Amino acid sequence: MKEHVLKEIIKISDQEFLRIMELIRKTDEQIGKYLIGKNKLLFNVSLYSFYPLLFKELVDFTDKQNDIILHSRYYSGWLFILDSIFDENETTYRNTNLIILSTVLSASDYFLYKLLSGFSKIEISVLETFRHKNDFSMYNEAKYFRNGSEYTDDEIESYCKYKYALAKSVVYLCFLCSKTPNWEFYDKILLSHDYFAYGRQLVDEIQDYE
């Protein structure tokens, strides 16, 4: 995603964007110094590297903002890298991707555990549910959906929703870490993710067909 598009989506100043990019670069180097590519990052920056900032006007998580951003970056990163490994057309840099995969997954869990200190087992179990759904969706995509099997509408609906459980887990973490969370907004945001998931999957199918 181009820098100006990313800034426009998340409504962030140039100064704040540069601050977060510097945070990401330094952390990437700390966790994977010898894996850094020419762009001085472990993997490309996407919307999910900044995803928590989409909700900054709804929740107050300022004191935990950096850790949430880094968790979102590395959690999404390992999923994208895993998807590239699953991709039947992916033939290059596979061994390097596997090393980066384990590195960013460890980093994701590190920042998550920092954030969850003091939360209840029930609250933590919600996050675990999101992660299990996301992993199950990727498993289906890698093992079944690419084999041309037919599925019911309900199965496809669940697949679409689970595929964006990654984003939902980040949203939940933002609200969980907020000093004044509005859970009514939270429910509406999750519903919007479901609608987006359906629409995005239709676009994917049309592009595949083309």
Side-chain angles (χ1 to χ4, degrees):
M1 179 176 290
K2 294 183 177 180
E3 182 178 315
H4 75 278
V5 176
L6 184 57
K7 289 179 182 177
E8 183 178 348
I9 290 173
I10 59 179
K11 295 181 174 59
I12 189 173
S13 67
D14 291 343
Q15 182 179 2
E16 181 66 0
F17 180 83
L18 291 174
R19 184 192 73 79
I20 294 174
M21 282 301 303
E22 184 62 20
L23 171 69
I24 289 173
R25 288 193 182 95
K26 285 184 177 180
T27 310
D28 275 17
E29 185 174 2
Q30 287 172 357
I31 69 171
K33 181 177 181 179
Y34 300 104
L35 300 171
I36 298 293
K38 292 181 180 179
N39 60 357
K40 298 183 180 180
L41 295 169
L42 277 173
F43 54 93
N44 292 335
V45 169
S46 72
L47 175 62
Y48 289 105
S49 296
F50 288 77
Y51 206 65
L53 296 181
L54 284 173
F55 314 102
K56 61 183 181 296
E57 295 180 1
L58 295 176
V59 291
D60 179 14
F61 53 79
T62 307
D63 57 332
K64 298 183 178 181
Q65 177 176 293
N66 286 352
D67 287 338
I68 297 176
I69 288 173
L70 291 172
H71 167 69
S72 181
R73 168 166 171 76
Y74 295 124
Y75 182 38
S76 63
W78 91 266
L79 290 170
F80 294 149
I81 296 168
L82 182 61
D83 188 55
S84 72
I85 293 172
F86 281 158
D87 192 336
E88 295 173 352
N89 296 321
E90 202 278 347
T91 56
T92 58
Y93 307 113
R94 184 164 300 193
N95 292 335
T96 302
N97 275 347
L98 286 171
I99 297 172
I100 296 176
L101 183 76
S102 65
T103 300
V104 298
L105 179 58
S106 296
S108 166
D109 285 343
Y110 169 76
F111 289 108
L112 179 62
Y113 294 143
K114 279 184 66 178
L115 291 163
L116 293 182
S117 176
F119 289 112
S120 70
K121 290 182 178 180
I122 295 177
E123 290 168 330
I124 295 173
S125 71
V126 175
L127 273 173
E128 291 176 344
T129 299
F130 282 133
R131 294 182 67 155
H132 290 160
K133 287 180 177 180
N134 197 99
D135 294 349
F136 185 70
S137 175
M138 291 197 69
Y139 179 80
N140 274 342
E141 183 172 345
K143 299 298 183 181
Y144 298 109
F145 281 92
R146 292 178 183 174
N147 293 333
S149 302
E150 291 189 6
Y151 287 84
T152 67
D153 289 345
D154 288 343
E155 287 172 325
I156 294 174
E157 180 178 328
S158 294
Y159 164 73
C160 293
K161 290 168 66 175
Y162 290 178
K163 194 172 182 178
Y164 282 87
L166 150 69
K168 290 181 179 179
S169 73
V170 174
V171 174
Y172 180 68
L173 192 58
C174 289
F175 276 78
L176 197 60
C177 292
S178 173
K179 297 175 183 177
T180 56
N182 185 323
W183 293 103
E184 183 179 349
F185 280 138
Y186 167 80
D187 291 336
K188 291 179 179 178
I189 291 172
L190 291 201
L191 182 59
S192 76
H193 278 68
D194 287 342
Y195 286 126
F196 178 81
Y198 304 147
R200 188 69 186 87
Q201 190 61 34
L202 287 172
V203 171
D204 282 348
E205 297 301 328
I206 291 172
Q207 290 175 340
D208 289 344
Y209 179 76
E210 289 177 341

